[in-house]
């Protein structure tokens, strides 16, 4: 049976997969992303829509996407009023996607579209969440070590079982999308929320390639911010650390008092004296206090962002909104012979 004549993926009747592509500084990759997505969707044998979310990209991504949407009615373009980040871009696309399953992938081609075929196969097997598992990545050694370490620390601290080495690249069943869209929080960490909602999940291993066009928009400090956001969203470990630091400080203080008194009686000459000792003790205790305040401040900032109830993104315009009658792909005009 040919690819176009395959049975529907799940249930009865034709099925649709929506691809949500977060775009920021990805104008050179848009055309290739579209071609590869179109090819893989044809091989899978399902109806599809491609939703590009232009997160206020400073390059000419807006113009490139508008031209693409004019040529292909299956392409939807959502333009954000400013840059809100990839999590907001994915959320924006998820809330308008009409497919029976939704694929989330970055627009820089580091999430290979060809892997969607295997995602769909696992979806056929009954899995409602199929995520890409980065067994390795084409990146500097320090970055690879940092990412590996982060996922393991995050998993150890989180109150939800987080899959190791799993990014946003995933296929989500409609029931999972509906569950995620119903969550009220605006400060989102989708790979954590994806684990939190549950359902039947499985990983598909792959090697994450280098970004083929341009430079990565991530930096070490930006990645640290991501790590802080993830831990604050899905772990009470830092707050528990404050308790343990307090207990340890009190214990050390009591021990120091006992040692001080004992030495005063047994060997007065060995007892520490002078301003230097006092300064070191004050700095030690003050450092612990500042660390505790920083941890509490991170949680307070997270709470403050949520209670303001600002939207996660603002849409400036939409080209080819999903859910309307789709036009066939428009071919470029042919020159007269």
């Amino acid at each position: 049976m040919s690819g176009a004549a395959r049975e529907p993926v799940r249930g009865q009747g034709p099925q649709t997969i929506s691809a949500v592509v977060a775009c920021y500084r990805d104008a050179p990759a848009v055309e290739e992303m579209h071609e590869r997505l179109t090819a893989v969707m044809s091989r899978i044998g399902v109806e599809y829509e491609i939703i590009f979310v232009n997160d206020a990209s400073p390059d000419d991504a807006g113009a490139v996407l508008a031209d693409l949407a004019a040529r292909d009615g299956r392409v939807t373009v959502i333009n954000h009023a400013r840059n809100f980040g990839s999590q907001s871009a994915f959320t924006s696309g998820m809330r308008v996607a009409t497919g029976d399953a939704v694929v989330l992938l970055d627009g820089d081609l580091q999430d290979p579209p060809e892997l969607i075929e295997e995602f769909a196969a696992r979806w056929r097997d009954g899995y409602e969440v199929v995520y890409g598992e980065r067994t390795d990545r084409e990146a500097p050694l320090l970055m690879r070590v940092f990412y590996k370490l982060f996922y393991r620390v995050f998993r150890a601290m989180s109150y939800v079982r987080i899959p190791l080495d799993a990014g946003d690249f995933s296929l989500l069943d409609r029931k999972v999308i509906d569950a995620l869209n119903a969550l009220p929080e605006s400060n989102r960490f989708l790979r954590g929320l994806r684990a939190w909602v549950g359902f039947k999940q499985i990983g598909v291993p792959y090697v994450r390639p280098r970004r083929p066009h341009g430079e990565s928009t991530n930096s070490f400090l930006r990645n640290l911010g991501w790590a802080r956001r993830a831990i604050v969203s899905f772990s009470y470990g830092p707050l528990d650390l404050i308790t343990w630091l307090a207990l340890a400080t009190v214990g050390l203080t009591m021990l120091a008092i006992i040692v001080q008194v004992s030495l005063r009686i047994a060997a007065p000459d060995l007892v520490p004296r002078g301003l230097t000792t006092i300064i070191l003790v004050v700095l030690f205790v003050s450092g612990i206090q500042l660390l505790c305040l920083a941890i509490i401040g991170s949680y307070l900032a997270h709470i403050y962002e949520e209670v303001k109830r600002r939207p996660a993104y603002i849409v400036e315009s939409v080209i080819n909104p999903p859910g309307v009658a789709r036009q066939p792909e428009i071919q470029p005009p042919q020159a007269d012979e």
Side-chain angles (χ1 to χ4, degrees):
M1 183 179 291
S2 65
R6 289 180 184 175
E7 291 295 319
V9 176
R10 292 168 70 103
Q12 301 297 321
Q15 301 293 306
T16 303
I17 293 181
S18 302
V20 175
V21 185
C23 293
Y24 185 74
R25 297 185 183 273
D26 296 325
V30 167
E31 290 287 352
E32 182 180 348
M33 173 66 77
H34 176 256
E35 291 175 5
R36 292 169 65 178
L37 279 174
T38 301
V40 74
M41 294 298 184
S42 298
R43 288 199 302 271
I44 294 172
V46 294
E47 293 297 319
Y48 66 92
E49 61 186 12
I50 303 174
I51 302 172
F52 287 96
V53 184
N54 174 26
D55 198 29
S57 182
D59 56 15
D60 62 341
V64 174
L65 290 170
D67 178 69
L68 182 61
R71 291 186 281 114
D72 188 352
R74 291 182 175 181
V75 171
T76 294
V77 178
I78 301 174
N79 294 303
H80 283 179
R82 68 166 177 83
N83 178 250
F84 289 92
S86 63
Q87 304 302 284
S88 294
F90 285 134
T91 300
S92 179
M94 287 162 52
R95 286 178 175 165
V96 302
T98 62
D100 301 294
V102 176
V103 177
L104 307 180
L105 64 167
D106 290 327
D108 57 9
L109 295 173
Q110 287 188 281
D111 297 332
E114 292 73 22
L115 201 64
I116 297 174
E117 190 168 3
E118 191 167 352
F119 284 3
R122 301 287 76 77
W123 184 46
R124 288 190 181 105
D125 293 338
Y127 290 96
E128 289 124 339
V129 175
V130 186
Y131 53 84
E133 184 179 352
R134 303 164 180 172
T135 56
D136 200 358
R137 63 175 69 223
E138 297 176 2
L141 177 61
L142 183 61
M143 180 176 291
R144 298 204 305 270
V145 171
F146 174 81
Y147 278 113
K148 290 283 186 182
L149 180 62
F150 162 71
Y151 279 109
R152 280 143 187 84
V153 171
F154 183 34
R155 185 174 188 172
M157 297 179 65
S158 176
Y159 54 75
V160 178
R161 186 170 178 81
I162 304 292
L164 294 177
D165 306 314
D168 295 315
F169 186 29
S170 56
L171 181 147
L172 309 175
D173 187 83
R174 169 49 55 184
K175 65 178 70 173
V176 181
I177 292 295
D178 291 341
L180 290 173
N181 286 342
L183 296 177
E185 59 197 88
S186 57
N187 197 5
R188 296 184 155 214
F189 186 69
L190 284 175
R191 64 196 74 174
L193 293 175
R194 185 181 66 204
W196 183 87
V197 297
F199 297 100
K200 192 175 181 181
Q201 306 197 10
I202 192 172
V204 174
Y206 76 105
V207 176
R208 185 170 171 86
R210 290 182 181 274
R211 182 185 176 105
H213 304 285
E215 298 294 330
S216 174
T217 56
N218 282 333
S219 64
F220 183 74
L221 291 178
R222 189 181 180 92
N223 285 328
L224 284 179
W226 270 94
R228 183 195 65 82
R229 179 178 180 179
I231 291 172
V232 169
S233 297
F234 290 95
S235 175
Y236 300 126
L239 294 177
D240 294 335
L241 176 63
I242 293 176
T243 301
W244 289 109
L245 283 174
L247 291 174
T249 303
V250 170
L252 287 174
T253 302
M254 295 299 296
L255 180 62
I257 292 174
I258 294 173
V259 171
Q260 181 88 351
V261 172
S262 301
L263 287 177
R264 281 284 184 185
I265 297 173
D269 294 338
L270 296 178
V271 178
R273 289 185 174 86
L275 189 60
T276 302
T277 302
I278 297 176
I279 291 175
L280 290 176
V281 172
V282 170
L283 287 177
F284 174 73
V285 176
S286 299
I288 292 178
Q289 290 175 335
L290 289 175
L291 174 62
C292 294
L293 286 174
I295 292 172
I296 295 171
S298 293
Y299 280 92
L300 285 177
H302 193 80
I303 294 170
Y304 183 53
E305 285 297 317
E306 291 297 331
V307 299
K308 286 188 291 189
R309 306 309 303 154
R310 291 177 182 170
Y313 56 89
I314 296 175
V315 175
E316 181 182 67
S317 61
V318 180
I319 305 173
N320 293 347
V324 300
R326 294 288 181 180
Q327 299 296 323
E329 185 170 348
I330 301 174
Q331 301 295 335
Q334 302 294 323
D336 294 335
E337 295 182 357

